[in-house]
Amino acid sequence: MMPSAMPEKSTRRHLFLILRIVICAAALWLVLSHVKWNDYVALEDGRHLVAENISENQVTVRLADGTKMTVPRAAVSHDPQTGEERIELGLKTAWHTSDRPFFLLCLAAFAPVPLIQSLRFKLVLQAQEIHITYWESLKLSVAGNFLNFLAIIGSTGGDVFKAYYISLHTHRKTEAVTTVFLDRIIGLLGLIIMVGFVLALRTVVARDRAAGWLVLELGGVLVLVAAGSALFLSQKARSLVRRATGGPESKIQDPESKIGRWLEHLRRADQSTQRLLRHRVLLSTALAITVVIHFLAVSAVVLAARALRMEWTAAAIGDYYVYIATGNVVAAVPISFQGAGTMEAVYFLFLKQHGTFAQLLCLAIALRMIHLLWSLPGALVMLTGAYRPRHNGEPMQTGSEPGLGPA
């Protein structure tokens, strides 16, 4: 029996390798297909063409058959809402018109982000007594980051895959999945804290009253979060809820029923959240790490603004930090691919006084490319199956080892 079983196991392993290669190739194609390399213009006659050259008075376009045609600038259509010309600048123009050393600098500024992000994820897992190595945390984090670019519902889709991957490392699957989404919440809170700090600095240095009001509003949000957390941990509040709902979960007649199993998962998710909130030192450390992560990530895009030769004054830099961070929040809204369109709208609304329409488009492209380039190692993790837990140097099979059955 053993000789026949070995070829079958080898065949299955090769089939899974081929499947991973196909999936990763498709994933890379999907990501890169959303990147515009050339400039495009929309003409008044409804055509959407590649722009070879855009000057002050005319535009040279390339037709479908490859021939070129020059049309007056007035032939370019305008957006009915913003009134701006419908010109989409691609990466080639962004690169050729930029200060290239600053682009390289912004890539370097973002480099520590996935490394520090992986440390935060490892710490948050420790609160649930799920212990993985930093190397495992790094692989899971970069794989999740890469998969964010494949999600058509915003930049949170990769968290679903990340939750699945981490569940392979422990029999405490409910706690592992809950931790991934708690990690996302910590990320959003850290972003609010960073924006509040920048606004507070502007209030003190520039005496900006509008910034002062925003600081109070963000402070109010954090106070509400803290009060909600305290209420969530309050045993008195929980006792009142139990009385109002008719008693504890023990009254469930059939704990093996579908409803009973769902309630058990909810109970364990609730316990996971309580456990994290009670780890005050660990939670504070995770929030501090998050602030550093967002500062580095936003700084990389601020440097991209300098590379695109946008306005570079103290007031403009302050706006970049605040509104680029706001764009990052908007990009997480489940509306379209990586928040496409919504993030640009934030830039056009709040940063239009610091740069041209074309520069703001290129800034949005730069942000996406920075994130994409530093998430590409996640494709290698997926391709090799390195996200799976290992035993004696070999990947473990899901459900084949003790304790990895349904939680």
Side-chain angles (χ1 to χ4, degrees):
M1 294 296 293
M2 289 297 294
S4 61
M6 290 299 291
E8 183 180 343
K9 185 177 180 180
S10 176
T11 301
R12 188 165 61 248
R13 186 183 298 115
H14 283 97
L15 286 174
F16 275 115
L17 176 61
I18 293 171
L19 180 62
R20 283 202 301 267
I21 291 172
V22 171
I23 291 173
C24 286
L28 281 171
W29 175 84
L30 180 61
V31 169
L32 295 176
S33 67
H34 286 79
V35 176
K36 289 184 172 62
W37 305 98
N38 298 304
D39 299 341
Y40 287 86
V41 295
L43 301 181
E44 291 287 359
D45 59 12
R47 288 181 294 176
H48 192 253
L49 302 172
V50 175
E52 293 287 342
N53 183 54
I54 302 173
S55 64
E56 185 176 352
N57 299 316
Q58 60 187 26
V59 179
T60 302
V61 297
R62 188 169 72 230
L63 303 179
D65 60 4
T67 59
K68 296 180 182 179
M69 178 180 70
T70 299
V71 298
R73 189 73 177 256
V76 178
S77 66
H78 291 73
D79 187 285
Q81 295 181 342
T82 64
E84 298 282 354
E85 291 179 310
R86 295 176 63 188
I87 297 175
E88 303 173 48
L89 297 183
L91 289 181
K92 288 195 295 189
T93 296
W95 177 252
H96 288 309
T97 60
S98 67
D99 192 336
R100 298 177 191 178
F102 270 93
F103 261 138
L104 297 176
L105 187 59
C106 75
L107 286 175
F110 194 87
V113 168
L115 304 176
I116 306 174
Q117 179 189 26
S118 304
L119 175 61
R120 183 188 71 193
F121 188 51
K122 182 178 184 300
L123 289 175
V124 176
L125 285 171
Q126 282 181 9
Q128 308 301 332
E129 298 179 359
I130 299 174
H131 301 285
I132 63 174
T133 66
Y134 173 76
W135 179 236
E136 287 174 321
S137 179
L138 179 61
K139 289 186 292 185
L140 290 166
S141 295
V142 296
N145 291 343
F146 175 71
L147 288 167
N148 280 335
F149 283 89
L150 309 182
I152 60 173
I153 55 171
S155 65
T156 57
D159 290 345
V160 177
F161 296 92
K162 191 174 176 182
Y164 171 72
Y165 293 155
I166 191 60
S167 72
L168 300 180
H169 288 254
T170 177
H171 64 281
R172 308 182 67 191
K173 298 185 185 302
T174 301
E175 289 77 3
V177 172
T178 303
T179 300
V180 172
F181 291 98
L182 290 175
D183 184 62
R184 168 67 71 161
I185 292 171
I186 290 172
L188 290 174
L189 288 175
L191 187 58
I192 291 173
I193 293 171
M194 192 216 76
V195 172
F197 176 78
V198 174
L199 287 171
L201 191 63
R202 287 183 61 176
T203 303
V204 173
V205 176
R207 300 185 184 281
D208 187 340
R209 288 189 175 184
W213 281 109
L214 284 172
V215 170
L216 291 176
E217 291 174 7
L218 291 177
V221 170
L222 294 176
V223 168
L224 288 175
V225 170
S229 300
L231 188 63
F232 181 80
L233 292 173
S234 170
Q235 293 304 315
K236 285 187 177 182
R238 287 174 172 272
S239 177
L240 289 173
V241 171
R242 282 196 294 269
R243 290 176 187 174
T245 55
E249 299 91 335
S250 59
K251 288 191 174 182
I252 299 170
Q253 296 297 320
D254 185 7
E256 294 302 319
S257 66
K258 183 177 289 187
I259 294 177
R261 288 196 299 270
W262 273 107
L263 288 174
E264 174 63 12
H265 285 305
L266 288 173
R267 184 186 66 80
R268 290 171 61 180
D270 172 66
Q271 289 180 338
S272 299
T273 307
Q274 290 187 66
R275 199 176 294 120
L276 177 62
L277 290 173
R278 289 196 171 98
H279 277 274
R280 292 184 178 86
V281 175
L282 189 149
L283 183 58
S284 299
T285 304
L287 281 170
I289 289 173
T290 303
V291 173
V292 174
I293 289 171
H294 286 302
F295 179 77
L296 291 172
V298 175
S299 294
V301 187
V302 172
L303 288 170
R306 171 62 180 82
L308 291 167
R309 305 182 191 281
M310 294 175 64
E311 183 182 351
W312 195 251
T313 62
I317 292 171
D319 282 347
Y320 294 151
Y321 272 99
V322 172
Y323 297 119
I324 288 171
T326 303
N328 289 345
V329 175
V330 170
V333 175
I335 293 177
S336 58
F337 180 86
Q338 276 288 296
T342 53
M343 186 175 65
E344 286 84 348
V346 172
Y347 289 0
F348 299 152
L349 181 62
F350 296 109
L351 298 177
K352 58 186 177 182
Q353 70 271 28
H354 302 308
T356 65
F357 180 76
Q359 286 173 322
L360 292 171
L361 272 179
C362 288
L363 185 64
I365 293 172
L367 183 149
R368 297 184 193 283
M369 288 307 301
I370 292 168
H371 284 261
L372 171 61
L373 289 173
W374 284 113
S375 70
L376 286 180
L380 183 61
V381 171
M382 291 180 59
L383 180 62
T384 60
Y387 56 85
R388 300 181 65 85
R390 292 181 174 267
H391 180 67
N392 294 330
E394 292 294 327
M396 295 193 298
Q397 298 300 318
T398 307
S400 63
E401 62 276 9
L404 283 186

